[in-house]
Amino acid sequence: MTRSEAPAGIDTTIDYLIPTSRINRRFWAPGKEFNTGIYQPYPVTIRNARLAPEPFTLDTHGFCLSHQPSGIEDFRDQAVLKRAYPAEVDAITKALTGCDLVVPMGGQLRSPVISGAGIQPPAAEAHVDFNTSSANRLAKAIYDKTAPGGPGYKRFIAFSLWRTFSDPPQDWPLALCEFASIGDDDGVPNVKVDVDEIPEGDALFAPIEGEDQMMAATIFRHNPAHRWWYFPDMTADEVIFIKFHDSDHDRAWRAPHTAFHDTGRPDAHTRESYEFRAIAYFTK
């Protein structure tokens, strides 16, 4: 099946948070992640974004696709990535957003097959990597450290630049939710906790000193109004820019996303992807 023959939509399920009284935490250990939130799969249609009547834009939809070839030959070479990729992200981000300053936060390799150090599994629930308070706090701290005494900033975008480097089609594509379909109360905080080993039982919910100052993602409850899209058969020359948080809420300011298992492509290759997080600042 070629890209032009990819289906107009896929009927599948996406894992959404079930509202409970439990503490929502994402424990992050080497090669493992564990959410204390309880999730349930809900049926959705994920539409082929390549067949959409108009292009997706950052300020209307919260995400966009862009043709951006990389000079990185091996995305598993962590040393090369750390040395060369931030400059590529800087150039791409300034071209797509018109921002004045890009400050990198680092990257993450993901694959459903954990075949080496530093690889995490695909995040397979509807989420955004920050919530409003975490994004505001982090943006200020990073700017103050990067540009002490600087002029300050009028706006920022916390974002990810997502790229797959495995051959198309991929078995775990990325789905993105159109901003205009998201309700204001659809998301709740999910605190990120870095650990050496995932705790068990009651230890998952034990008090953590300073938790209110820890970074938190946003996880989402099901809403049948959500409109989901994906870009089938991505190549290594394409990137998806995903807004985690735009401080200008008069624009599309976040884009929930999730990996999903595309079982309709028997010729699918194991997805390998690299996502790079950074903050774009607008100082003028």
Side-chain angles (χ1 to χ4, degrees):
M1 181 181 291
T2 66
R3 175 181 293 179
S4 62
E5 295 171 336
I10 296 175
D11 292 325
T12 183
T13 61
I14 284 178
D15 286 346
Y16 282 98
L17 178 72
I18 300 175
T20 70
S21 60
R22 299 173 64 174
I23 299 172
N24 294 310
R25 293 171 175 165
R26 176 191 289 270
F27 288 92
W28 182 290
K32 299 178 183 178
E33 296 178 24
F34 182 82
N35 279 293
T36 62
I38 299 176
Y39 296 85
Q40 177 174 309
Y42 288 83
V44 297
T45 297
I46 305 177
R47 297 171 176 84
N48 184 339
R50 299 189 189 275
L51 302 179
E54 61 181 14
F56 290 86
T57 65
L58 293 177
D59 288 344
T60 299
H61 304 94
F63 61 90
C64 73
L65 180 76
S66 183
H67 183 77
Q68 300 286 347
S70 173
I72 305 297
E73 295 183 359
D74 181 4
F75 275 86
R76 284 178 170 266
D77 190 328
Q78 298 275 14
V80 171
L81 282 174
K82 290 179 180 179
R83 182 175 67 250
Y85 202 60
E88 292 189 3
V89 173
D90 184 283
I92 293 169
T93 302
K94 288 177 178 175
L96 292 178
T97 69
C99 70
D100 304 298
L101 174 68
V102 180
V103 181
M105 291 190 291
Q108 179 63 58
L109 289 164
R110 288 190 183 272
S111 176
V113 178
I114 308 302
S115 57
I119 300 174
Q120 293 287 128
E125 74 283 333
H127 73 285
V128 171
D129 292 44
F130 297 106
N131 65 355
T132 296
S133 60
S134 290
N136 285 331
R137 191 167 61 246
L138 182 64
K140 184 180 186 306
I142 288 178
Y143 183 84
D144 289 347
K145 182 178 180 180
T146 303
Y153 53 92
K154 296 178 173 61
R155 175 188 169 206
F156 74 85
I157 302 173
F159 69 91
S160 173
L161 201 69
W162 190 94
R163 186 190 301 266
T164 181
F165 55 93
S166 53
D167 291 334
Q170 291 87 25
D171 58 353
W172 280 85
L174 185 69
L176 303 115
C177 190
E178 186 177 338
F179 171 78
S181 70
I182 307 163
D184 290 342
D185 299 325
D186 288 349
V188 298
N190 192 30
V191 177
K192 181 176 180 288
V193 185
D194 292 304
V195 292
D196 294 327
E197 295 289 340
I198 305 294
E200 298 180 356
D202 292 342
L204 290 166
F205 304 100
I208 299 175
E209 184 177 355
E211 184 168 4
D212 60 336
Q213 295 299 307
M214 296 171 69
M215 298 308 298
T218 302
I219 46 182
F220 289 84
R221 305 182 184 98
H222 178 252
N223 182 337
H226 289 168
R227 293 190 295 272
W228 288 93
W229 300 87
Y230 83 115
F231 295 93
D233 303 301
M234 286 189 65
T235 71
D237 287 343
E238 296 176 307
V239 296
I240 299 175
F241 189 111
I242 310 167
K243 282 188 181 181
F244 293 158
H245 189 88
D246 188 334
S247 61
D248 183 354
H249 284 200
D250 289 333
R251 310 167 190 253
W253 58 271
R254 63 181 178 179
H257 49 282
T258 181
F260 73 97
H261 193 194
D262 184 358
T263 59
R265 307 294 294 271
D267 57 338
H269 299 91
T270 300
R271 168 190 142 182
E272 293 183 292
S273 62
Y274 188 62
E275 59 193 69
F276 195 92
R277 300 177 180 88
I279 299 182
Y281 294 94
F282 301 78
T283 61
K284 300 173 184 176

